[in-house]
Amino acid sequence: MLKIFRHNVAVLLAAAAGAALAQDPTAGQAAFAQCAACHSVDGSLGTGPSLRGIAGRKAGSVEGFRYSRALKNAGYVWDARSLDAFIAEPQKALAGTLMPFAGVPDAQQRADLVAFLLTLH
Ligand code: HEC
């Protein structure tokens, strides 16, 4: 079951990104260590909003979290493509975001990270 799910996520991602990169959510979970200081995956708030259910969630919409005006007004729903762009270069993808993180330059690591984020229901 999990295997089939992961396969579907990978296929969806490849279709969305038009990329030939393999997406490995297990590797993405390991890479998430660099996010975990600020982001929980269980709904609790930290320096950043929880990333539980991030895929398909409206940007800037976690109840009780004080977002920047930029993120609050971003007006889009997170998907594989927008997550990849944001993680690559947060300030470039969304001018005015206050996420204090430079970004992940490595495309493979981002593909894995996004695959992991899509499993956070
Ligand atoms: C030093 C703390 C910190 C680190 C490290 C960090 N973030 Fe963030 N993140 C934040 C903050 C703070 C915000 C809210 C920014 C704003 O309001 O503009 C945020 C926002 C986000 C959002 C938007 C969430 C929403 O509810 O719309 C996503 C997605 C995200 N971060 C993903 C990541 C990922 C993935 C990583 C690791 C590659 C990461 N962040 C690393 C602090 C951090």
Side-chain angles (χ1 to χ4, degrees):
M1 178 64 184
L2 190 59
K3 223 172 176 178
I4 291 169
F5 173 71
R6 283 186 176 165
H7 175 73
N8 285 343
V9 167
V11 168
L12 269 175
L13 273 169
L21 291 173
Q23 283 109 2
D24 179 353
T26 307
Q29 182 163 23
F32 189 76
Q34 62 194 309
C35 323
C38 299
H39 291 288
S40 84
V41 296
D42 67 0
S44 59
L45 300 180
T47 302
S50 179
L51 297 183
R52 183 177 67 185
I54 187 70
R57 193 169 89 191
K58 191 172 177 292
S61 66
V62 167
E63 199 69 37
F65 186 80
R66 286 177 59 92
Y67 287 99
S68 63
R69 185 184 290 252
L71 199 44
K72 189 104 196 131
N73 297 332
Y76 53 74
V77 168
W78 291 115
D79 60 13
R81 192 186 290 266
S82 55
L83 283 169
D84 180 77
F86 188 69
I87 295 167
E89 287 184 276
Q91 282 77 19
K92 200 175 157 199
L94 185 67
T97 180
L98 296 177
M99 175 153 122
F101 184 74
V104 176
D106 186 272
Q108 179 65 63
Q109 194 176 108
R110 286 201 310 277
D112 294 341
L113 261 170
V114 169
F116 172 67
L117 292 176
L118 296 196
T119 69
L120 302 176
H121 300 293

